[in-house]
Amino acid sequence: MNYYFCVSKNFNQIRVMKTIQFREAIAEAMSEEMRRDESVYLMGEEVAEYNGAYKASKGMLDEFGPDRVIDTPISELGFSGIGVGSAMNGNRPIIEFMTFNFSLVGIDQIINNAAKMRQMSGGQFNVPIVFRGPTASAGQLGATHSQAFESWYANTPGLKVIVPSNPYDAKGLLKAAIRDEDPVIFMESEQMYGDKGEVPEEEYVLPIGKADIKREGSDVTIVSFGKIIKICYKAAEELEKEGISCEIIDLRTIRPMDHEAILESVKKTNRLVIVEEAWPFGNVATEITYQVQSQAFDYLDAPIVKINTADTPAPYSPVLLEEWLPNHNDVIKAVKKVMYKD
């Protein structure tokens, strides 16, 4: 772990920064909140004795014991329901799914109970629970282990949906999710757990529902989130060599979505490309497209282009998988299209 000092923009605050892995940021967020609040606990498959399927809960069993870091049977429906019931009774559970593909087994508890309980009880019960784990593809895992469910859960009133792209955002947003009074879907990626990034040594919490401009630009706005945003950075670097300036917005939170950040950027650049690791029908990019054309149509100098996976189940073949996923060349082509340079 590397440490260094950083002076803030207003030059009156010195922050001690450290470089850690994404999995370490997740573990730190959960551990800090469990130290702060005894009602917080972690439950899921292999979270305790094995230190987490992706080592995202390493050391937590030793510190907090088996009453607060709880290994479960392979029964997502069962432990999701236990979590919802315990949240209704004053606890703040963190429910880990080994992958969100497995959350489908317990989706009734998430959609029909966690998301609706506050309204259906007339405000008598709230459900402060976090469901977290990996989403979307993670290499050659086959069609049933490579699905992106952000738009599925974001389509449900009562749920908040967060998809961070780096350790800093992951830690700050997970702490906010654990403190939130409503159910939060917190989606990660198996291919990001080893990613390294800088986080402050001191405590910090990021606001839910606030997008982040990762790269400022003037010619075109690129909106993305999660691990697929990495291809946007690569594309922007190559396009810069051709004199094309890309502004990259990381949504961070899918619901509530920061429409204002997107609209303000589009009003500046007049062009929009959306990159999402999901099937093309009825997804997050579709919603963004509608919001922009309905609220900023007169600012657009070109039709909006959205980039998604192919409209098929994820293939197992590495050659087909590479074709199925969006890549930086797709982004470059889309940017040139909206700038009429293709």
Side-chain angles (χ1 to χ4, degrees):
M1 187 181 299
N2 299 320
Y3 291 86
Y4 70 97
F5 294 93
C6 176
V7 181
S8 65
K9 291 181 180 179
N10 57 15
F11 297 102
N12 62 6
Q13 181 184 5
I14 297 178
R15 307 180 79 181
V16 179
M17 305 294 287
K18 60 185 178 182
T19 300
I20 61 175
Q21 291 184 332
F22 193 102
R23 59 167 58 88
E24 293 175 305
I26 295 295
E28 282 193 2
M30 293 190 295
S31 296
E32 288 176 11
E33 292 306 302
M34 288 174 71
R35 294 181 198 119
R36 190 185 69 88
D37 185 346
E38 292 186 355
S39 69
V40 180
Y41 69 91
L42 173 65
M43 179 166 61
E45 296 157 1
E46 298 186 350
V47 299
E49 295 288 346
Y50 193 66
N51 286 312
Y54 312 103
K55 301 300 181 265
S57 55
K58 186 176 181 180
M60 292 180 64
L61 174 63
D62 293 337
E63 179 175 357
F64 300 105
D67 290 337
R68 298 184 67 195
V69 182
I70 306 168
D71 277 333
T72 68
I74 303 175
S75 178
E76 285 77 11
L77 176 62
F79 62 77
S80 295
I82 291 171
V84 172
S86 108
M88 291 172 63
N89 281 277
N91 292 305
R92 291 182 175 273
I94 306 166
I95 304 299
E96 178 179 307
F97 296 121
M98 197 174 294
T99 160
F100 262 95
N101 295 278
F102 300 162
S103 74
L104 299 188
V105 182
I107 201 169
D108 177 65
Q109 292 293 340
I110 301 171
I111 301 295
N112 282 328
N113 291 316
K116 296 177 173 61
M117 192 56 65
R118 182 190 284 272
Q119 185 193 54
M120 293 181 67
S121 69
Q124 295 180 78
F125 290 100
N126 63 303
V127 185
I129 187 171
V130 176
F131 298 97
R132 52 158 293 269
T135 185
S137 66
Q140 290 180 265
L141 298 182
T144 59
H145 290 67
S146 305
Q147 303 169 100
F149 293 111
E150 296 87 25
S151 61
W152 284 39
Y153 285 113
N155 191 251
T156 305
L159 297 179
K160 297 175 181 177
V161 180
I162 298 172
V163 191
S165 67
N166 60 80
Y168 175 84
D169 289 353
K171 182 176 180 180
L173 288 168
L174 182 52
K175 288 171 70 70
I178 294 169
R179 297 182 188 187
D180 202 272
E181 295 299 323
D182 292 309
V184 178
I185 306 295
F186 194 92
M187 295 177 154
E188 303 151 16
S189 169
E190 293 171 53
Q191 293 184 325
M192 288 173 57
Y193 284 120
D195 288 1
K196 292 183 178 180
E198 301 161 357
V199 301
E201 177 67 21
E202 70 271 15
E203 182 182 67
Y204 69 100
V205 178
L206 295 176
I208 295 174
K210 185 70 174 175
D212 188 35
I213 298 176
K214 300 297 190 188
R215 178 190 178 109
E216 293 190 357
S218 57
D219 293 328
V220 59
T221 298
I222 303 175
V223 176
S224 189
F225 58 91
K227 78 172 188 290
I228 201 69
I229 201 171
K230 295 178 185 179
I231 69 170
C232 302
Y233 299 143
K234 185 175 181 180
E237 290 175 1
E238 294 194 17
L239 287 164
E240 187 176 30
K241 298 174 184 177
E242 301 181 35
I244 299 174
S245 175
C246 300
E247 180 149 293
I248 299 178
I249 295 180
D250 186 344
L251 286 179
R252 301 199 294 195
T253 303
I254 307 304
R255 182 165 185 158
M257 186 182 294
D258 190 352
H259 295 130
E260 183 179 354
I262 301 169
L263 293 170
E264 288 304 309
S265 180
V266 169
K267 288 177 182 179
K268 178 175 68 173
T269 67
N270 309 118
R271 297 171 178 85
L272 176 61
V273 172
I274 311 164
V275 184
E276 178 186 6
E277 187 184 348
W279 295 308
F281 185 88
N283 50 37
V284 175
T286 304
E287 171 64 15
I288 295 172
T289 300
Y290 170 76
Q291 293 294 335
V292 172
Q293 68 83 26
S294 64
Q295 299 185 59
F297 180 80
D298 291 340
Y299 290 90
L300 290 171
D301 287 344
I304 298 168
V305 174
K306 66 188 188 78
I307 302 171
N308 297 106
T309 64
D311 196 17
T312 69
Y316 177 78
S317 160
V319 176
L320 294 177
L321 184 63
E322 185 175 351
E323 289 296 316
W324 183 80
L325 280 168
N327 59 57
H328 76 284
N329 288 321
D330 296 328
V331 180
I332 291 172
K333 183 178 179 181
V335 168
K336 290 185 175 181
K337 181 177 181 179
V338 299
M339 296 194 68
Y340 302 107
K341 292 180 179 292
D342 57 344

